[in-house]
Amino acid sequence: MKIKNNAGETVEFEISKLENSLRNSGADEQSVRKVLETVLPKCFEGITTGELYRMAFEELKKISNSVAARYSLKKALLELGPAGFYFEQWISRVFQNIGYKTETGQLIKGHSVTHEADVIAKKDEKTYWVECKFRNAEDTKISVTTPMYVLSRIKDISGIDYNLFETQTKFTDGWLITNTYFTKDSVAFSEYYGLRLLSWDFPKNKSIKNLVDQNALYPITCLTTLDGKQKQKLLEKKCVLVKELFNNQNLLDVLNLNQNKKSEVLKEAKELMITKISE
C-alpha cells in the first residue's frame, strides 16, 4: 500500500515504522496490537501520514493519555510556535535540566554588528552560542546555508570578553537546534567546522526525542488533557515543561479547572514524569 507523507511524496507504507513509533512512546505490546487492529482496517491507498497519526493518536488516548502525549511529541513541539519564542524558552529549560546555566534574549555586540541570542548556555569552562531554528511544518529540513550563517555569527562574537553568568567569559562553541531535520549537507558542513547539531532525529540516540524521553523533559504542549488555549495560558505564565507543572501544581489555578479535571491533568503529568523511556 502506498501512503503520502507530509512532504507530499508517495511512499510505501511500512507497518514496522508505525509499530516502532508506538513502542517508542511507551506503549506495551498489547496496546500496540490493539491500535494496529483498529487503525489498519481503516487505511486506504494514498492515505496521508497525518491521517495515520491522528487515528493512532486517538486510539492511544483511549488506552493512556501519557502514552498518547509521548506519541504526540513532534506535534507538541510545533505548538511552541508560530514564531518559535516558546521553543527557545523550552530549549533553555532543557539545557538547564541537563546541567547547563542558560540565559535568553541577550543582545551581544560582536566585532561588526550586534546579535540577539536565542539561548546562551554555559557548562564547566565552555560557553555556547545556541541558535534555535523553529519550523512550523514538521518535515522541513534545515539547509546548509543555515549552519553557514550561524558560523558567521559565532565568528563575529569570538575572542571578545562578555559579562555573562556573573563572570567574564568568551564564547567557545556553538549549537544549531531545530524541531525538524537537517539536510545531509548541513550535517557534513557542521561536523567539519565543529558546530554542534540537535534535531528531531540527530544525533542518533542523542536526538531531541531521545533527550526528552530519557529525561522526561516534555513541553507543556504535550498534555492531551488540556486544550490549546489552556496550554497557551500556561506558556504565558512561563510554565514551559510538564515537569514545572508537576512540581508546582498551583500553576493550574490560572485555568480555573474543576477538581476532576485538575486530577486528570495531574495524573497525566505524573505518568509522564515517573515513566522514563530508555534508548
Side-chain angles (χ1 to χ4, degrees):
M1 183 178 75
K2 301 287 186 180
I3 64 173
K4 188 173 290 186
N5 64 23
N6 290 316
E9 302 165 333
T10 300
V11 296
E12 196 68 35
F13 174 49
E14 298 178 48
I15 296 177
S16 60
K17 286 187 176 180
L18 177 56
E19 290 176 329
N20 289 336
S21 67
L22 295 170
R23 292 190 185 101
N24 291 340
S25 300
D28 58 27
E29 291 306 309
Q30 182 179 354
S31 298
V32 170
R33 287 196 301 273
K34 188 173 182 180
V35 172
L36 293 177
E37 287 170 1
T38 304
V39 169
L40 293 180
K42 297 179 182 178
C43 291
F44 53 87
E45 193 75 20
I47 190 173
T48 66
T49 52
E51 289 174 290
L52 267 173
Y53 160 81
R54 282 189 290 274
M55 288 193 294
F57 175 76
E58 290 303 322
E59 292 306 313
L60 279 179
K61 271 201 74 175
K62 296 174 185 177
I63 298 168
S64 167
N65 285 327
S66 59
V67 173
R70 292 190 196 94
Y71 186 69
S72 71
L73 176 58
K74 188 187 288 188
K75 296 283 187 183
L77 294 179
L78 294 177
E79 292 184 49
L80 293 172
F85 170 75
Y86 290 119
F87 180 67
E88 294 168 12
Q89 298 300 306
W90 178 68
I91 289 296
S92 176
R93 301 292 212 289
V94 167
F95 270 65
Q96 288 173 13
N97 277 271
I98 58 175
Y100 292 78
K101 297 177 181 177
T102 67
E103 294 185 8
T104 57
Q106 294 287 328
L107 291 176
I108 301 297
K109 180 68 174 69
H111 293 284
S112 62
V113 296
T114 298
H115 307 267
E116 184 173 357
D118 295 335
V119 181
I120 298 170
K122 184 174 180 60
K123 189 174 186 180
D124 301 326
E125 301 304 313
K126 291 186 177 292
T127 302
Y128 302 86
W129 177 271
V130 183
E131 192 90 14
C132 298
K133 291 301 176 187
F134 177 83
R135 295 293 182 263
N136 289 297
E138 63 183 71
D139 281 347
T140 305
K141 291 188 176 181
I142 303 297
S143 72
V144 69
T145 57
T146 301
M148 287 177 175
Y149 158 76
V150 174
L151 279 180
S152 70
R153 296 187 80 177
I154 292 172
K155 182 177 181 181
D156 194 47
I157 60 176
S158 293
I160 302 174
D161 282 316
Y162 295 101
N163 185 20
L164 298 166
F165 308 104
E166 300 179 347
T167 187
Q168 290 292 307
T169 185
K170 292 182 174 69
F171 285 97
T172 58
D173 297 85
W175 284 84
L176 173 56
I177 301 175
T178 182
N179 59 311
T180 56
Y181 302 91
F182 293 112
T183 63
K184 290 182 180 179
D185 282 351
S186 289
V187 173
F189 180 88
S190 300
E191 288 183 337
Y192 184 83
Y193 286 102
L195 178 65
R196 300 185 180 207
L197 298 180
L198 180 64
S199 72
W200 175 254
D201 66 343
F202 187 89
K204 187 177 180 181
N205 298 325
K206 294 182 180 179
S207 65
I208 281 181
K209 176 164 175 52
N210 296 129
L211 189 62
V212 171
D213 284 339
Q214 291 161 20
N215 297 280
L217 297 174
Y218 299 98
I220 200 74
T221 47
C222 268
L223 291 175
T224 66
T225 47
L226 294 175
D227 62 29
K229 289 182 179 179
Q230 291 168 329
K231 295 172 188 177
Q232 184 64 31
K233 282 186 178 180
L234 289 173
L235 288 171
E236 289 169 359
K237 291 295 181 180
K238 300 183 179 180
C239 178
V240 182
L241 291 172
V242 173
K243 179 178 181 179
E244 293 167 340
L245 180 63
F246 181 68
N247 291 334
N248 184 7
Q249 299 177 7
N250 290 333
L251 287 167
L252 278 178
D253 292 346
V254 69
L255 303 182
N256 297 316
L257 304 177
N258 62 44
Q259 191 55 48
N260 286 341
K261 184 63 175 179
K262 187 174 181 179
S263 297
E264 186 182 12
V265 174
L266 293 175
K267 179 177 183 292
E268 182 182 12
K270 182 178 180 179
E271 289 175 357
L272 283 170
M273 291 301 96
I274 66 175
T275 305
K276 302 293 195 304
I277 305 297
S278 59
E279 291 183 23

